[in-house]
Amino acid sequence: MAVFTPVSLQDLTPWISSFSLGSVSNIRGISSGIENSNFFVSTEKGEYVLTLFEKLTFDELPFYLNLMQHLARKGIKVPAPVPDKNGRILHSLHGKPACLVTKLVGDWQPEPEALHCAQVGDMMAKMHLAGQDYSLQQPNPRGLEWWKKTVPLILSYLPVKTSFMLQDELRFQEEFASTNLYWKLYRGPIHADLFRNNVMFDSTRLTGFFDFYFAGCDSWLFDVAVAINDWCIDPGTGELDSVRVRAFLDAYHAVRPFTLDECAAWKTILRGAALRFWISRLYDFYLPRDAEILTPHDPCHFERILRLRIAQPAPELVL
Ligand SMILES: Nc1ncnc2c1ncn2[C@@H]1O[C@H](COP(=O)(O)OP(=O)(O)O)[C@@H](O)[C@H]1O
Ligand SMILES: N[C@@H](CCOP(=O)(O)O)C(=O)O
């Protein structure tokens, strides 16, 4: 879809003069975004991505932009926010918060194979380790507290049996979150939405993770589970593909070994990661935001995945 706030070359020319990027020769709107207005920008110094944030506020953005900067400085492949001549990375354009970030080469991979999954697992583990000394804190904005607040808003739209299943799973996850095991899991900044369409590949080489705007502090295992539930499934059925699962988990484990606690929590966290996207998709489906002109994602996809993760044994975290 969408560029919500148009930006012309004339708008950009004075704006970009506060950066050390020379003059700007071209700006192209990116049609595929759904949250923000994104543009490819050509300058004398190279290609960048300009984002105007349509919902996130000036107060909310420092967590995300500084995280990307922190990770990029540590060699994690993510877009690096470009500082202006005064070192600032958060700006304003047309009254909206805005930033410029480096452009990742390539495209996202709609049909990943084991070699893609292994690179994502490897880079995710490196990202978790690199985030350990990140100084800003923010809870996962789509974590348990948001689930508890949101589920009551959608129950009345669901068939009775489905609403029971949703409430049962929420209760199960709440109980788990009150255990010692849950609080013993390693945690820190996580991407929390690392689906196929948020990772760039140049042919078969991973060039970067992007779209950090659901990031927050949560268990590292939750990040792994979100990714496994997207990268390593048959999208038609939600069934896990054991070859891709192994490639992902083994690559992650080689960098940041999973713990015994994580092995014990794995099945529950995989279920929680499915629940998270079932809830958000139900919410977007039944309670679309004002002037929403987008086709909502299918909530049944994650209902199916959740049923499978409940019914089936989880794949071994460590072989
Ligand atoms: N740093 C980047 N480098 C290259 N392309 C990018 C970058 N950031 C965004 N894009 C492109 O813009 C598209 C939309 O970005 P995304 O962050 O998913 O938008 P939204 O948050 O609005 O959904 C992506 O699919 C990708 O093609
Ligand atoms: N990955 C989520 C939706 C978040 O949208 P994104 O395109 O900004 O990653 C889902 O599939 O429900």
Side-chain angles (χ1 to χ4, degrees):
M1 246 302 324
V3 165
F4 303 94
T5 307
V7 179
S8 68
L9 201 53
Q10 285 90 327
D11 297 331
L12 204 58
T13 302
W15 189 84
I16 210 111
S17 66
S18 65
F19 294 83
S20 303
L21 297 175
S23 62
V24 55
S25 56
N26 195 20
I27 173 163
R28 280 171 297 139
I30 304 176
S31 58
S32 60
I34 61 165
E35 294 276 327
N36 303 309
S37 298
N38 295 296
F39 306 84
F40 291 127
V41 170
S42 311
T43 75
E44 283 177 57
K45 287 281 171 68
E47 294 272 308
Y48 297 88
V49 173
L50 167 71
T51 301
L52 267 62
F53 297 95
E54 301 291 344
K55 293 188 213 101
L56 286 170
T57 64
F58 285 99
D59 288 343
E60 291 168 326
L61 279 158
F63 177 85
Y64 305 105
L65 298 183
N66 287 299
L67 177 60
M68 288 157 70
Q69 186 174 59
H70 177 93
L71 294 173
R73 282 177 175 162
K74 291 197 158 201
I76 306 303
K77 291 181 179 175
V78 301
V82 182
D84 69 7
K85 290 171 184 165
N86 295 315
R88 289 177 309 134
I89 54 177
L90 177 55
H91 304 272
S92 172
L93 184 56
H94 291 331
K96 309 257 165 82
C99 75
L100 263 186
V101 299
T102 51
K103 184 181 172 192
L104 303 172
V105 176
D107 218 332
W108 68 279
Q109 175 50 253
E111 291 176 7
E113 295 174 15
L115 87 170
H116 302 104
C117 295
Q119 291 176 75
V120 178
D122 168 87
M123 186 61 64
M124 179 183 273
K126 289 174 178 158
M127 176 179 75
H128 290 165
L129 294 175
Q132 281 180 110
D133 59 348
Y134 182 56
S135 57
L136 301 183
Q137 293 274 338
Q138 153 169 303
N140 176 357
R142 293 284 178 275
L144 181 64
E145 290 312 310
W146 186 81
W147 309 348
K148 289 192 321 200
K149 201 175 66 185
T150 307
V151 164
L153 306 178
I154 49 189
L155 286 178
S156 64
Y157 297 97
L158 305 178
V160 174
K161 270 191 175 168
T162 313
S163 89
F164 282 163
M165 175 185 161
L166 183 55
Q167 290 174 90
D168 285 350
E169 186 63 23
L170 179 59
R171 241 186 324 268
F172 176 77
Q173 294 292 336
E174 278 187 81
E175 280 164 21
F176 176 64
S178 68
T179 60
N180 284 338
L181 176 59
Y182 176 77
W183 289 106
K184 281 198 292 178
L185 300 177
Y186 278 116
R187 55 192 66 239
I190 64 166
H191 183 287
D193 184 31
L194 200 65
F195 282 45
R196 300 171 189 202
N197 64 347
N198 286 333
V199 179
M200 219 58 106
F201 280 90
D202 187 16
S203 181
T204 54
R205 183 180 61 92
L206 189 156
T207 58
F209 295 172
F210 64 101
D211 201 359
F212 275 76
Y213 304 112
F214 283 118
C217 299
D218 204 335
S219 69
W220 288 343
L221 200 58
F222 184 78
D223 221 11
V224 175
V226 167
I228 290 282
N229 276 339
D230 185 68
W231 283 87
C232 307
I233 61 161
D234 172 342
T237 63
E239 291 276 358
L240 290 168
D241 173 82
S242 57
V243 175
R244 279 179 284 153
V245 170
R246 263 310 16 106
F248 190 113
L249 294 177
D250 290 352
Y252 183 101
H253 183 69
V255 176
R256 204 283 294 175
F258 292 114
T259 64
L260 286 176
D261 289 330
E262 287 174 324
C263 293
W266 178 222
K267 178 168 170 140
T268 305
I269 298 279
L270 260 184
R271 286 170 56 165
L275 176 68
R276 179 267 183 245
F277 288 96
W278 189 26
I279 296 172
S280 62
R281 286 184 173 201
L282 284 170
Y283 181 75
D284 291 343
F285 189 84
Y286 289 113
L287 297 160
R289 292 170 293 224
D290 285 352
E292 192 71 71
I293 37 173
L294 308 162
T295 313
H297 288 122
D298 174 19
C300 297
H301 176 67
F302 274 103
E303 178 183 350
R304 238 179 345 258
I305 292 182
L306 178 56
R307 288 184 192 281
L308 289 169
R309 301 299 172 269
I310 293 171
Q312 297 176 350
E316 298 290 338
L317 204 51
V318 183
L319 270 194

